[in-house]
Amino acid sequence: MSRFRIGRRRDEMSVVEMQRYNPLRVGIVFLVILVIAVYFGFTKHIPFKHGYRLKAAFSTAVNIRPKSPVRIAGVDVGKVTGLTRDGNTGLVSMEIENKGLPIHADATLKIRPRIFLEGNWFVELQPGSPSVKTLSSGSTIPITQTSDPVQLDQVLDALNTDTRANLQNFLAGYGDALTREPTAAENAEADPDVYGLNAAQALNKSYHRGPSALRGSAIVNQATSGTEEHDLSKLIASIGKVTAALNVHEQDLSELFGNYDAFFRNFAVQSSSLSATVSVLPSALGSLGRGFAALDAAFPPTRTFALDLIPGTELLPSTISASLPWIEQVQASLAPSELGGVSKGLLSATPALAKLFSEQPAFFKQTEAFSKCLTKVFYPAANTKIQDGPNTSGVETYKEFFYALDGLAGLGQTFDGNGAMTRFLVGGGGTTFRSAPVSITGTSIKGGLSLVSRAPLQPEGTRPAFPAQEPPYRPLVPCYTQAVPNFNGPLSQGPADGGGG
């Protein structure tokens, strides 16, 4: 029994689920969603919600229609939502977007025609003065602040009978003038481009030259409008000043106009030169324009520089006042008793200085040779590291020289009562060494003296080897051309007796 109930409940759940996903319900839901999407796509408006609403009374609103645009300065800011007519008077309801707000109590509205391609009409809205209170949504603009477009029939109704007749005659004569064929005398005086054409045909042909003429007119209008604000008003004011100045010199002007004939005759003589000048004038004006642009770009830094100079200029009087005592001291120092006497001494010393300077080139040549000797021979030799077997220090020769000086300085310290003297400990042994004769400053012995020392061990060799003869002394050969001494060459070690190799 329980199994039967469980199975029946499962069957009931399946039926409920099938009813829940009935295709008819799904289709209805899809249609509702589709209708909502189409509504939003075409109306772009949320139902039951509206923006700022405004009403305006017009003496006649026959030309306006619902959905006609509402514009401020040519920009769409809303649309007409409704129109209620009472005779010739109409109450126009509008909905304004946020970009057209706020609207003030002195706002004005006009019904104006749209351009030819747009068709229909639109409402031109002037939002009013910011100093006047703001209108709330739903307010109505009175008929005294609205105006309607003037139609052609209204203009004609304002004319009397005679004026209408004259207008008719004018239109008939104007039409005849446009379509009448020219006579032979008129063709003889006409331009070749319009020979044999009536006025309407010639007028139509003139439109072919319109693009170039309009382009030139546009250039002239752009040049007339100027590049800065109020250029035209400044030009007119300047012309007024020039005219006023010319008015004062009437006699000069009369003489000027009398000479115009000769002036233009000279221009006619130079027509070819003027044509060449005019042909290069565009490129010259282009360069001039670029120069003015660069000059205009240079004005802001110049103005900044001028503004930065103002504090210094303000301090200039005090600076001058403070410099007056210094100027007085300079004037006193330039007196004959001061720098005047020094200048006299320099005047007398100038010949000697000139002679000294003339001898400097030879001196500079010697210093140059000495510098080259240091750079190419002495410094490379001093940077050599002497290889001395187990006694090799691994440092440059010039460092070993300074190490020796440092050791001598240490030996000569006054750490006892013997004073600042260098002390050596002499050892004894069975082997005697005698050096070759050496010259000692202050001795009168010819051939020099031999130095004698003793050692406990027999020497194995001498390092460096003593040469058999001294190298030749050649004082006229520049030092920097000599080869760098090779302290580690084949003669770096000699025999034990110190004989020459």
Side-chain angles (χ1 to χ4, degrees), residues 179-193:
T179 57
R180 184 177 59 84
E181 295 296 331
T183 63
E186 292 174 342
N187 279 330
E189 297 179 356
D191 189 271
D193 292 341

Side-chain angles (χ1 to χ4, degrees), residues 286-350:
S287 302
L288 189 62
R290 291 190 293 271
F292 283 139
L295 186 62
D296 188 34
F299 279 144
T302 305
R303 182 176 181 275
T304 304
F305 176 72
L307 292 177
D308 292 339
L309 282 180
I310 291 176
T313 306
E314 294 175 350
L315 296 175
L316 189 58
S318 58
T319 304
I320 294 174
S321 300
S323 62
L324 288 177
W326 178 81
I327 294 174
E328 293 176 356
Q329 293 294 328
V330 171
Q331 289 178 343
S333 64
L334 294 176
S337 60
E338 298 291 341
L339 290 179
V342 175
S343 61
K344 291 180 180 179
L346 291 175
L347 181 62
S348 61
T350 301

Side-chain angles (χ1 to χ4, degrees), residues 11 34 106 110 189 219-220 232 235-236 272 277 282 311 336 429 447 481 483:
D11 294 339
L34 181 62
D106 61 341
K110 297 180 181 179
E189 297 179 356
I219 295 173
V220 172
L232 188 57
L235 175 62
I236 294 173
S272 58
T277 303
T481 61

Side-chain angles (χ1 to χ4, degrees), residues 11 15 44 64 132 136 191 266 277 311 315 348 400 423 433 493:
D11 294 339
V15 173
K44 298 179 177 64
I64 205 69
V132 182
S136 59
D191 189 271
N266 294 330
T277 303
L315 296 175
S348 61
E400 291 189 1
R423 291 168 291 280
F433 295 95
Q493 184 172 349

Side-chain angles (χ1 to χ4, degrees), residues 61-71 80 110-115 118-124 148-152:
V62 69
N63 295 313
I64 205 69
R65 296 287 184 274
K67 296 185 179 180
S68 296
V70 180
R71 296 176 176 175
V80 175
K110 297 180 181 179
I111 297 177
R112 301 176 70 87
R114 302 167 76 179
I115 63 176
E118 290 182 316
N120 211 327
W121 302 74
F122 72 96
V123 178
E124 182 181 10
D148 306 310
V150 179
Q151 303 296 323
L152 182 60

Side-chain angles (χ1 to χ4, degrees), residues 107-436:
T108 58
L109 295 95
K110 297 180 181 179
I111 297 177
R112 301 176 70 87
R114 302 167 76 179
I115 63 176
F116 174 75
L117 295 178
E118 290 182 316
N120 211 327
W121 302 74
F122 72 96
V123 178
E124 182 181 10
L125 172 61
Q126 298 291 338
S129 306
S131 59
V132 182
K133 70 175 183 178
T134 304
L135 294 178
S136 59
S137 180
S139 300
T140 301
I141 303 295
I143 196 172
T144 56
Q145 297 176 215
T146 63
S147 60
D148 306 310
V150 179
Q151 303 296 323
L152 182 60
D153 59 343
Q154 295 174 335
V155 176
L156 297 176
D157 289 339
L159 303 177
N160 55 30
T161 304
D162 295 336
T163 306
R164 292 181 185 178
N166 293 333
L167 182 60
Q168 291 175 357
N169 295 331
F170 167 76
L171 293 177
Y174 183 69
D176 181 66
L178 290 177
T179 57
R180 184 177 59 84
E181 295 296 331
T183 63
E186 292 174 342
N187 279 330
E189 297 179 356
D191 189 271
D193 292 341
V194 294
Y195 185 84
L197 302 179
N198 57 32
Q201 293 172 338
L203 186 61
N204 290 333
K205 195 170 184 180
S206 67
Y207 291 142
H208 295 287
R209 297 184 178 181
S212 58
L214 292 176
R215 187 181 299 109
S217 300
I219 295 173
V220 172
N221 291 334
Q222 183 179 6
T224 306
S225 62
T227 58
E228 301 285 341
E229 188 176 359
H230 304 300
D231 276 358
L232 188 57
S233 61
K234 293 177 181 179
L235 175 62
I236 294 173
S238 300
I239 292 175
K241 294 179 181 179
V242 173
T243 305
L246 292 176
N247 191 30
V248 179
H249 302 85
E250 295 183 1
Q251 182 64 29
D252 297 339
L253 286 176
S254 62
E255 296 176 358
L256 175 65
F257 287 115
N259 295 325
Y260 261 15
D261 187 21
F263 174 73
F264 284 112
R265 188 183 303 110
N266 294 330
F267 257 97
V269 173
Q270 299 294 333
S271 59
S272 58
S273 301
L274 287 175
S275 300
T277 303
V278 172
S279 63
V280 300
L281 190 59
S283 59
L285 291 177
S287 302
L288 189 62
R290 291 190 293 271
F292 283 139
L295 186 62
D296 188 34
F299 279 144
T302 305
R303 182 176 181 275
T304 304
F305 176 72
L307 292 177
D308 292 339
L309 282 180
I310 291 176
T313 306
E314 294 175 350
L315 296 175
L316 189 58
S318 58
T319 304
I320 294 174
S321 300
S323 62
L324 288 177
W326 178 81
I327 294 174
E328 293 176 356
Q329 293 294 328
V330 171
Q331 289 178 343
S333 64
L334 294 176
S337 60
E338 298 291 341
L339 290 179
V342 175
S343 61
K344 291 180 180 179
L346 291 175
L347 181 62
S348 61
T350 301
L353 292 174
K355 183 178 180 182
L356 174 64
F357 291 149
S358 63
E359 296 174 354
Q360 293 303 309
F363 174 72
F364 289 148
K365 290 181 180 180
Q366 294 297 324
T367 55
E368 181 185 11
F370 178 71
S371 300
K372 289 182 178 180
C373 180
L374 292 177
T375 304
K376 296 183 178 181
V377 178
F378 184 81
Y379 291 151
N383 285 317
T384 302
K385 296 180 180 179
I386 296 178
Q387 304 299 323
D388 195 14
N391 298 322
T392 300
S393 63
V395 298
E396 293 81 355
T397 307
Y398 78 93
K399 292 183 180 179
E400 291 189 1
F401 174 73
F402 288 112
Y403 293 163
L405 294 181
D406 185 71
L408 290 175
L411 292 174
Q413 290 181 358
T414 58
F415 55 85
D416 57 14
N418 294 324
M421 298 181 65
T422 303
R423 291 168 291 280
F424 296 93
L425 179 62
V426 179
T431 305
T432 302
F433 295 95
R434 184 184 300 273
S435 69

Side-chain angles (χ1 to χ4, degrees), residues 22-40:
N22 191 297
L24 179 60
R25 293 183 179 180
V26 174
I28 293 172
V29 171
F30 176 76
L31 288 176
V32 172
I33 295 174
L34 181 62
V35 169
I36 294 174
V38 172
Y39 175 81
F40 281 110

